[in-house]
Amino acid sequence: MGEQQHVKFPQEVLDEYTALGVDLPALFSAGHLGTRMGVQILEASADKVVGTMPVEGNTQPYGLLHGGASAVLAETLGSVGSMLHGGASKIAVGVDLNCTHHRGVRSGLVTGVATPVHRGRSTATYEIVISDEEGRRVCTARLTCLLRDVRPGDGAPAESAAS
C-alpha cells in the first residue's frame, strides 16, 4: 500500500482497531492507484472523509482533469467512509459508482468531501462532492459499497478500504 500521512481518525475508531491489534494509521493509505494519482486523505471518519488530488498528472488529452481521475478520488473517499462505518470486522467493496462532471479543471488541486447518504448493516452509500480551489463544484458522485464480513485471507481490514 502507498504511504499515507496526517490522516485524522476519531479516537473511538483508533481504539476499535487497536483492540484488534491493528495499527490503523500505519496501515492506512489511498492504495497504489491513489498514491500514483497523488490522492491524500486529510480527514477520515464514518461521518465525513476529506481528500485532495492534484490535477497535474491526472488529465485527459485536452489538458482537463480526467473524469476517471475524479472517479478514483470519489471511490477512494466513499470506500474509506464505508470501511469506517462497517468497522474492523467488515470489508467495504464498491458495487455502484456514478459521477456527474460539472466543469473542467486544468490546474491546481481538487478536494473531495464524502458524506453518508445511507449507512446500513450490509451497504453504505456516500455522496462525494469534488470542488476546485475556488470552491466550484467539479463533480458530484455517489458510491454504494457492500459491507461484507472479513474472511480468512482477506488481510487487514484497512488494506481493503480503497476498492
Side-chain angles (χ1 to χ4, degrees):
M1 289 286 192
E3 185 176 329
Q4 195 66 252
Q5 299 176 6
H6 309 298
V7 180
K8 300 175 189 173
F9 290 102
Q11 189 59 49
E12 62 271 13
V13 171
L14 291 172
D15 293 345
E16 177 185 5
Y17 282 84
T18 299
L20 296 169
V22 177
D23 181 357
L24 186 59
L27 291 175
F28 197 82
S29 84
H32 294 297
L33 178 60
T35 298
R36 280 195 306 271
M37 296 182 72
V39 173
Q40 295 290 315
I41 308 295
L42 306 177
E43 177 184 339
S45 73
D47 294 322
K48 181 179 177 183
V49 182
V50 180
T52 61
M53 182 180 66
V55 173
E56 184 177 347
N58 294 313
T59 57
Q60 39 88 310
Y62 296 111
L64 297 170
L65 178 64
H66 195 291
S70 293
V72 167
L73 178 59
E75 185 154 353
T76 299
L77 300 178
S79 293
V80 168
S82 296
M83 184 260 318
L84 291 172
H85 162 66
S89 66
K90 298 284 186 179
I91 288 180
V93 180
V95 294
D96 181 64
L97 172 67
N98 79 50
C99 301
T100 301
H101 305 287
H102 306 292
R103 69 173 49 244
V105 181
R106 292 187 179 278
S107 63
L109 202 63
V110 291
T111 299
V113 179
T115 54
V117 174
H118 166 77
R119 291 187 292 187
R121 289 181 304 211
S122 61
T123 62
T125 301
Y126 280 74
E127 177 185 63
I128 304 93
V129 175
I130 300 173
S131 303
D132 65 14
E133 291 178 319
E134 286 77 43
R136 297 176 298 191
R137 190 176 292 224
V138 173
C139 175
T140 303
R142 188 187 70 235
L143 173 72
T144 298
C145 288
L146 171 69
L147 302 174
R148 72 165 178 82
D149 292 334
V150 174
R151 298 178 189 143
D154 278 339
E159 291 178 357
S160 299
S163 50

